[in-house]
Amino acid sequence: MTRLAQTADLTDVQTEILSTVRSFVDKEIIPRAQELEHGDVYPTEIVEGLKEMGIFGLTIPEEFGGLGESLLTYALVAEEIARGWMSVSGVINTHFIVAHLITQHGTPEQQADHLPRMATGDLRGAFSMSEPELGSDVAAIRTKATRDGDEYVINGSKMWLTNGENATLVAFLVKTDEGSDSPYKNMTTFLVEKTPGLGERLPGFSIPGRIDKMGYKGIDTTDASFDGFRIGADKVLGGQPGRGFYQMMDGVEVGRVNVAARGCGVAIRAFELAIEYAQQRETFGKPIAQHQAIAFKLAEMATKVEAAHTMMVRAARLKDSGARFDVEAGMAKLLASEFASEVTQDSFRIHGGYGYSKEYEIERLMREAPFLLIGEGTSEIQKTIISRGLLKEYASKR
């Protein structure tokens, strides 16, 4: 275990879980990541290993077959997995968010139906808010569900669906007409259970194909299409329409801690690669780590890794305590994603020309890190959330 990114006051169970995950990452993920990522191959065997360890049920309550662990435990696990390969952490992130949505907002029937199967990883989750013509402006969604007796009829398209192909339970945020003047109260989350694969998955519902990306490969990212898709009213998350926006924002808020954790994992790996290479590569008769320019760069990188990890842990612990943590989650996500990008670029520069070669792992990290700047809300969105929270807290009394 290295000096950086250590977490104080962990329980024995948390320590054991993290030790097991780190060993799995070192033995099963890092040696395979390059080949799978360059081939854009879904990590089936790795996912099966995570199922065997119980990672898919990490935060699901024990009464439903999960481990009942905290957000902090999950975030630290995500950090370890992202250190190995960020795409694998993406497999469990959307699953975790859907499990969180059902645990916090689902009806007793929805919890009893979905959570036990999610805990084993036999049912794997994904979620979607975005659409082809919108990004951060969630209020502008156009995909619409119209009530028809005991069913809803959904028409429209969704975009940027991580795990869209391989997930078997998808939470979709769509527009419903609840008669409210606020668009945020006219949205509903539906739970759609489907089979893995592309093409038509259910009558009127299809996953057209994968979106080709510059990085974050191996994990499938798709769009989704609804054309007269009928779904029972019992598939409304929580049983009552019009609450979807607030449910999804709760999920995204904890998801921001996950993205922060992923940023920490990527930054840790980029630093590990840089400091190892800097001690092996020689110029002017000595390892480049002994040149002050490189030594100072390593010092800056390590400080950023430590700062991001500390902020991420604080946000997770605030959530676990029951305190409001929207500002802290935004800060953690902002700092960790920006620092991950900076540390990765610095590692790339330390590698010199070799960093541009696909034989070196840093080349992959250079393509993965930018995703963290936009996933679960761009840095600009985080600044908006942070500033609004601060202005409320420090409201002028003049």
Side-chain angles (χ1 to χ4, degrees):
M1 190 67 69
T2 58
R3 177 187 181 91
L4 288 182
Q6 298 303 297
T7 309
D9 301 321
L10 295 179
T11 66
D12 291 342
V13 172
Q14 289 174 316
T15 300
E16 183 178 352
I17 289 172
L18 292 175
S19 177
T20 300
V21 171
R22 175 172 275 263
S23 177
F24 181 81
V25 168
D26 288 339
K27 294 178 181 178
E28 304 296 334
I29 297 182
I30 290 178
R32 301 182 182 182
Q34 287 293 91
E35 181 180 358
L36 292 173
E37 197 273 347
H38 287 159
D40 200 8
V41 177
Y42 187 78
T44 301
E45 293 183 8
I46 292 173
V47 169
E48 289 301 313
L50 295 176
K51 287 174 61 176
E52 291 178 10
M53 288 193 293
I55 298 302
F56 285 95
L58 191 62
T59 61
I60 292 174
E62 293 181 1
E63 62 185 290
F64 297 110
L67 298 179
E69 278 293 327
S70 63
L71 175 60
L72 174 61
T73 306
Y74 176 77
L76 294 174
V77 166
E79 180 183 57
E80 291 287 356
I81 292 175
R83 172 182 159 267
W85 183 18
M86 193 178 74
S87 293
V88 179
S89 66
V91 173
I92 61 172
N93 180 44
T94 58
H95 177 87
F96 160 72
I97 290 177
V98 175
H100 174 81
L101 290 174
I102 295 173
T103 300
Q104 296 298 318
H105 306 287
T107 64
E109 294 77 15
Q110 290 168 346
Q111 292 171 348
D113 181 22
H114 298 308
L115 291 179
R117 291 183 290 152
M118 295 186 79
T120 62
D122 293 327
L123 187 69
R124 299 211 294 275
F127 74 101
S128 177
M129 295 187 295
S130 188
E131 296 185 0
E133 296 182 11
L134 67 93
S136 300
D137 185 11
V138 179
I141 63 173
R142 298 181 179 180
T143 300
K144 188 173 183 179
T146 304
R147 188 71 182 250
D148 184 15
D150 293 332
E151 295 182 322
Y152 283 85
V153 181
I154 304 179
N155 290 283
S157 299
K158 306 299 287 186
M159 191 74 171
W160 304 117
L161 182 53
T162 302
N163 287 313
E165 178 182 350
N166 285 281
T168 48
L169 177 65
V170 187
F172 287 102
L173 182 66
V174 304
K175 183 181 293 185
T176 49
D177 186 7
E178 307 306 325
S180 174
D181 293 335
S182 170
Y184 300 106
K185 295 181 180 179
N186 286 323
M187 300 183 204
T188 299
T189 302
F190 286 89
L191 300 173
V192 179
E193 192 166 342
K194 71 176 186 66
T195 56
L198 300 175
E200 188 173 72
R201 310 323 304 159
L202 295 165
F205 169 63
S206 63
I207 303 293
R210 285 190 174 196
I211 298 171
D212 195 16
K213 303 162 298 196
M214 81 171 188
Y216 201 36
K217 291 180 177 291
I219 188 171
D220 45 296
T221 304
T222 74
D223 49 5
S225 177
F226 297 94
D227 184 10
F229 173 65
R230 289 185 170 270
I231 188 170
D234 61 326
K235 302 303 181 183
V236 170
L237 178 63
Q240 293 186 8
R243 299 181 176 179
F245 174 80
Y246 304 100
Q247 293 166 344
M248 280 288 189
M249 288 304 103
D250 178 33
V252 168
E253 203 164 79
V254 295
R256 286 184 179 126
V257 177
N258 171 276
V259 174
R262 284 197 266 178
C264 292
V266 170
I268 289 168
R269 187 58 181 162
F271 173 78
E272 289 175 345
L273 295 172
I275 199 166
E276 180 179 6
Y277 181 81
Q279 294 174 82
Q280 296 172 350
R281 173 68 167 168
E282 293 189 359
T283 62
F284 303 102
K286 59 183 179 180
I288 62 173
Q290 294 182 20
H291 294 292
Q292 190 178 71
I294 301 299
F296 280 11
K297 186 62 66 178
L298 292 170
E300 292 170 359
M301 294 163 68
T303 302
K304 290 176 180 178
V305 167
E306 195 68 39
H309 175 84
T310 301
M311 186 77 79
M312 179 270 291
V313 168
R314 180 170 183 268
R317 282 184 160 148
L318 275 175
K319 172 63 175 177
D320 288 333
S321 73
R324 182 171 181 174
F325 80 123
D326 54 335
V327 169
E328 288 77 11
M331 287 178 171
K333 195 275 176 182
L334 172 65
L335 193 76
S337 61
E338 292 287 350
F339 278 1
S341 179
E342 292 172 14
V343 170
T344 300
Q345 289 185 45
D346 286 339
S347 181
F348 173 78
R349 291 177 176 181
I350 287 173
H351 280 78
Y354 288 109
Y356 210 65
S357 168
K358 287 190 174 183
E359 294 182 15
Y360 282 72
E361 196 174 337
I362 189 61
E363 179 271 341
R364 169 170 59 82
L365 299 184
M366 278 291 292
R367 291 182 288 104
E368 290 177 341
F371 169 78
L372 297 166
L373 299 171
I374 55 176
E376 244 68 305
T378 65
S379 291
E380 289 70 28
I381 287 294
Q382 307 312 314
K383 292 175 185 177
T384 299
I385 293 168
I386 295 165
S387 61
R388 286 176 178 173
L390 292 174
L391 287 169
K392 287 182 181 179
E393 186 70 22
Y394 291 88
S396 174
K397 294 181 173 53
R398 293 180 61 185

